[in-house]
Amino acid sequence: MFTKIGILLEMIKFKLTVFALPFAFTGAFLAARGIPEWRVILLVILAMVGARTCAMGFNRIVDRKFDGANPRTEERAMPAGEVSMSEATAMVVIAGLLFFFACYSLNSLTLALSPVALFLTLFYSYTKRFTALCHIVLGVALAFSPLGGWVAVSGSLEGFPWVLALGVLFWVAGFDTIYACLDAEFDKKAGLFSLPSRLGQVKAFRLAGIFHVIAFFFFVMTGIQANLNIFYFMGVLLTACALWYQHKLVKPEDLSRIHVSFFSMNGFISVALFFATWLALMTNGG
């Protein structure tokens, strides 16, 4: 049983929950102007884990035929036969129920928004079949992370720094565009849509850079709107350095270090911005 659980967690890249969870915490801490109640923190964790597990499991189910045909992904658990359809479906259902339970336990507005948030994360899995803007859709889905954290604490949308959600949107769209370069040729052959497969890798990289410049602008605006102090802006500066380094590590003609760029730098960015926000709030940043 534990071996099967390990396979399922690896299948959905459970460790990458670190990308979205810190932004949910950022929204929650901003709403509380400090550390929220521990009950709320726990429920936010459960909601984020449930939502991401549900979405990733669903993605593996609906993309299993493409994964099996793609040399890069043919050894994933479902194409390789290590996880059955019933096992993957059970994981998706349980994770979805966990997400809704956590939202129900928080407040009525969180519960009301939960179907929209989960629908977007599931809908993303189909977007590569008809639009190259799939990366934007993923960004919109993950932009619900800080919004969800805020609503979990405040029970209201009033005062939410929307620029933070926009920053997350363009940050995600940028790194997902870069990552999609790995499958650009396969996507063309399979009739799938992505910016690299439609525009070419050089133009896609340029557009990803533009997305990240826009994200940086919105992260700066978040500090201004939320009245945060210098510690937050130091975190934004570190974020800018990480974004720059990400684009230095990976080039259209050399994708060999894309996993370092994708996993290490993006995990660093989300965690750095959260801790910068926390530090700013703890030092009378608002």
Side-chain angles (χ1 to χ4, degrees):
M1 182 182 69
F2 291 109
T3 300
K4 180 65 69 173
I5 291 174
I7 293 173
L8 287 167
L9 293 179
E10 176 58 28
M11 180 183 80
I12 63 169
K13 300 297 180 184
F14 182 79
K15 61 185 178 183
L16 298 188
T17 305
V18 70
F19 283 8
L21 185 56
F23 279 108
F25 282 161
T26 299
F29 278 54
L30 284 173
R33 303 306 295 183
I35 302 176
E37 297 178 5
W38 285 105
R39 172 184 172 276
V40 173
I41 292 177
L42 176 60
L43 289 171
V44 168
I45 293 173
L46 292 178
M48 292 300 297
V49 168
R52 188 185 179 282
T53 300
C54 181
M56 285 297 297
F58 184 78
N59 179 266
R60 294 296 188 254
I61 290 173
V62 301
D63 277 358
R64 64 191 184 281
K65 292 182 180 179
F66 292 116
D67 287 344
N70 187 342
R72 186 180 72 84
T73 58
E74 62 184 356
E75 294 184 359
R76 283 179 175 172
M78 291 198 73
E82 296 177 336
V83 172
S84 68
M85 174 67 78
S86 60
E87 290 168 340
T89 301
M91 179 182 67
V92 168
V93 172
I94 293 171
L97 291 174
L98 175 64
F99 170 67
F100 285 123
F101 168 76
C103 292
Y104 167 79
S105 301
L106 283 163
N107 55 63
S108 58
L109 182 57
T110 306
L111 180 61
L113 291 174
S114 61
V116 179
L118 192 60
F119 169 78
L120 281 171
T121 61
L122 301 182
F123 175 65
Y124 160 73
S125 295
Y126 288 106
T127 53
K128 285 189 68 173
R129 289 159 171 79
F130 60 86
T131 178
L133 297 180
C134 53
H135 319 289
I136 298 290
V137 176
L138 180 61
V140 173
L142 291 186
F144 265 77
S145 298
L147 177 66
W150 177 281
V151 173
V153 172
S154 68
S156 169
L157 293 173
E158 183 178 356
F160 174 66
W162 290 96
V163 284
L164 174 59
L166 290 172
V168 173
L169 190 163
F170 284 100
W171 167 63
V172 171
F175 76 63
D176 194 58
T177 297
I178 294 173
Y179 194 70
C181 288
L182 287 172
D183 294 325
E185 291 304 316
F186 173 80
D187 288 347
K188 286 181 184 178
K189 295 176 182 177
L192 296 173
F193 291 77
S194 71
L195 288 175
S197 69
R198 298 294 153 171
L199 301 178
Q201 292 183 188
V202 173
K203 290 182 179 178
F205 261 75
R206 290 173 183 167
L207 190 54
I210 293 172
F211 286 159
H212 281 158
V213 169
I214 296 173
F216 171 74
F217 169 77
F218 282 129
F219 288 146
V220 171
M221 291 302 298
T222 298
I224 297 172
Q225 185 178 350
N227 192 29
L228 299 175
N229 66 17
I230 188 63
F231 291 109
Y232 173 80
F233 293 101
M234 290 172 63
V236 174
L237 181 59
L238 287 174
T239 294
C241 292
L243 289 172
W244 173 82
Y245 186 58
Q246 188 175 58
H247 287 268
K248 292 292 289 183
L249 272 177
V250 185
K251 300 292 183 183
E253 65 277 6
D254 181 12
L255 302 176
S256 61
R257 293 182 290 181
I258 197 167
H259 288 92
V260 175
S261 170
F262 186 78
F263 300 119
S264 301
M265 290 298 100
N266 289 314
F268 172 81
I269 287 169
S270 59
V271 171
L273 279 175
F274 163 63
F275 277 109
T277 302
W278 185 3
L279 184 58
L281 292 170
M282 292 299 98
T283 54
N284 299 317

